[in-house]
Amino acid sequence: MRRTGTQRIFTMDSDAIITANISELAASDAPAMARADIWLVYAPPRTAMPFVFITLAALEDVTAFWTRMLQPDVWLPKHVGGTKPNDMIAMGHYVHTNVGPPYPCWGLSGAQPKLRCGDGNGSYTTLDYGIPDILHAIRRVGLTANFRTETLGLGAGGRVPLDAGIVDGNYRDDALQMFAMVNQQKQIRFVNGSAQLLLRSGKWVPTWGYVMEDKAERCAGIHVRRISSRASCRCENWCCRRCQP
């Protein structure tokens, strides 16, 4: 990035699909994107990184933050094991440090009772995005997170963050209780090859990026054909082998 003078990059997971021209999207939504240097799938307390826009300055800050945070005097050995620490959990601690208490929790507004925020100071039940021991250690050593995060997904109250629409990180997850789910799957259609997801309100929201994970990966080719042929139809289910005009 330094060598080419690039100031912002976009990354996505290998099982993700995008239907937008990223350079055009960033240019057309530049005023909105100026609100933050880090854009990912953020539904506090959770963070996910299937799609990320990040500036060079923010990337350097996150890298320095993680390098210090992952030292054993901050990331305590008892919190190492299984999937911990991973990129999402590490980013969760960066975001929590930037926001500070009381920590927001609108991303779990409709989740199961066992997935809930605690006292507002980072005491989460069964969640690892803001571990109290580690947040305390971050403050103790004076570690700071200097760049603000915004979401590329559906925001609080169903807010659509960009004119281009949203991204979606998991077609089976509806923690906000905003999407029209059928058989635990979001409902998708294509309009001239661009994807849209159905909300409970009956509105279709443009969705320029989404993830085809696990069993859905075998259906990725079907989606690519819908996109490349500029199809306009509503999928019978997420796989979209059948699509009604």
Side-chain angles (χ1 to χ4, degrees):
M1 292 177 70
R2 296 189 193 97
R3 188 165 54 246
T4 62
T6 302
Q7 293 302 308
R8 186 189 296 268
I9 61 168
F10 172 78
T11 69
M12 61 186 244
D13 281 357
S14 60
D15 57 357
I17 288 177
I18 58 172
T19 63
N21 180 305
I22 295 301
S23 296
E24 292 177 0
L25 183 153
S28 63
D29 270 315
M33 296 196 73
R35 297 198 306 266
D37 284 75
I38 304 170
W39 290 78
L40 41 73
V41 180
Y42 174 50
R46 297 182 292 180
T47 55
M49 304 172 69
F51 307 93
V52 180
F53 274 108
I54 189 168
T55 64
L56 172 59
L59 179 60
E60 291 176 331
D61 195 64
V62 170
T63 301
F65 181 93
W66 285 1
T67 299
R68 180 65 184 92
M69 181 188 70
L70 293 175
Q71 296 299 311
D73 64 324
V74 178
W75 197 277
L76 305 176
K78 69 179 182 179
H79 295 302
V80 176
T83 63
K84 294 186 294 187
N86 59 38
D87 57 343
M88 295 185 296
I89 291 172
M91 182 57 79
H93 286 78
Y94 180 93
V95 175
H96 275 79
T97 302
N98 175 260
V99 172
Y103 302 117
C105 193
W106 55 261
L108 290 182
S109 59
Q112 304 96 326
K114 68 178 181 179
L115 295 178
R116 66 181 184 275
C117 292
D119 58 10
N121 294 313
S123 298
Y124 299 125
T125 302
T126 72
L127 292 171
D128 296 322
Y129 299 91
I131 299 170
D133 290 356
I134 295 173
L135 292 173
H136 175 76
I138 287 170
R139 292 192 294 269
R140 173 174 49 78
V141 301
L143 189 54
T144 60
N146 299 305
F147 291 90
R148 184 169 177 266
T149 298
E150 276 279 1
T151 187
L152 292 169
L154 202 62
R159 179 177 64 90
V160 176
L162 301 175
D163 289 343
I166 65 170
V167 300
D168 185 72
N170 188 330
Y171 70 98
R172 294 170 297 183
D173 180 60
D174 184 29
L176 294 181
Q177 300 289 286
M178 290 282 182
F179 290 96
M181 306 289 285
V182 175
N183 296 325
Q184 297 182 318
Q185 297 182 2
K186 290 168 183 168
Q187 300 302 292
I188 186 170
R189 74 177 183 183
F190 293 94
V191 178
N192 294 322
S194 295
Q196 298 181 352
L197 295 180
L198 182 62
L199 301 180
R200 292 187 179 192
S201 65
K203 177 183 176 181
W204 290 90
V205 60
T207 306
W208 57 267
Y210 55 95
V211 176
M212 302 292 289
E213 63 181 349
D214 301 330
K215 292 181 179 180
E217 287 188 27
R218 69 188 67 171
C219 305
I222 298 171
H223 283 240
V224 170
R225 288 194 293 274
R226 305 290 184 205
I227 295 163
S228 60
S229 67
R230 300 183 61 82
S232 292
C233 58
R234 179 172 177 172
C235 299
E236 182 179 76
N237 53 34
W238 188 260
C239 190
C240 203
R241 285 192 173 88
R242 296 181 181 178
C243 199
Q244 298 296 323

